[in-house]
Amino acid sequence: MRKMEVELKYVIPNEETFWRLFSDIFVQRQQFSFAAENSRGPLSRSDIYFDTNDLRLLNSGCCFRFGSRTNDLSRLTFKEKTKERETRIEVEDFLPTSEAIAALCGSHPSDAVAALREKIGNAPIAPKLYVYKMLFVFKANGCEIVFGPDAYTRD
């Protein structure tokens, strides 16, 4: 059975609204059966998005990112839009950080890097966007809510 993820993203217009929503989630956690033992956070994540110099990935509805999960575990992700509205193909590898770096350099196997190379061939890639996240995770009734702000910087 394939795992399907349904993801909804909302733009929060200002910091005051963020903290009000954040507070509401904690207050209403029990109403939705969000037990404290099923909650995690704050967690910090950082992602580096790569692309070619001519932005081939961005212009074709794709992205490739290197994300740190912990000091010892990283995630390589290739995403590509499909013809269906609001869906995409996503290929992820969770690897020890040293192996993820080796995969980026082409010296370690990675399904995500293979998907990237299938799309752009041997074109060189470089960091284009850095994303820093602080998030909280709430799990209940087979659902997971991830909540937190993102900060972006460009190369």
Side-chain angles (χ1 to χ4, degrees):
M1 183 167 106
R2 292 181 66 178
K3 178 181 173 184
M4 184 187 333
E5 174 183 315
V6 176
E7 186 175 290
L8 302 173
K9 293 186 178 187
Y10 300 94
V11 174
I12 298 174
N14 55 50
E15 189 173 342
E16 178 183 333
T17 303
F18 169 80
W19 289 113
R20 185 176 50 75
L21 291 170
F22 181 80
S23 171
D24 289 349
I25 285 177
F26 273 102
V27 169
Q28 296 181 18
R29 177 171 63 188
Q30 292 179 349
Q31 177 183 348
F32 295 104
S33 304
F34 290 111
E37 60 271 12
N38 292 330
S39 302
R40 295 178 291 146
L43 305 173
S44 63
R45 301 280 189 263
S46 61
D47 293 315
I48 303 170
Y49 285 79
F50 289 81
D51 206 338
T52 60
N53 285 337
D54 61 357
L55 302 177
R56 201 173 309 169
L57 292 173
L58 178 66
N59 293 328
S60 63
C62 299
C63 73
F64 180 80
R65 73 175 174 214
F66 176 94
S68 66
R69 303 286 291 188
T70 66
N71 287 339
D72 300 327
L73 186 65
S74 293
R75 173 180 64 181
L76 296 173
T77 308
F78 176 80
K79 297 180 183 185
E80 181 175 22
K81 285 187 179 181
T82 65
K83 292 180 182 179
E84 298 173 30
R85 184 176 183 261
E86 303 299 325
T87 63
R88 64 178 177 231
I89 296 167
E90 191 166 318
V91 181
E92 285 190 317
D93 294 311
F94 291 92
L95 299 168
T97 299
S98 60
E99 292 178 15
I101 292 168
L104 276 175
C105 297
S107 60
H108 187 79
S110 161
D111 292 338
V113 173
L116 167 72
R117 290 297 166 203
E118 185 177 312
K119 187 70 179 177
I120 65 166
N122 289 326
I125 57 172
K128 298 295 182 186
L129 180 70
Y130 301 86
V131 180
Y132 305 95
K133 302 174 183 180
M134 179 187 73
L135 47 98
F136 296 83
V137 179
F138 304 100
K139 293 183 178 185
N141 306 326
C143 296
E144 182 175 275
I145 294 178
V146 179
F147 183 81
D150 294 353
Y152 300 88
T153 58
R154 294 191 62 170
D155 180 34

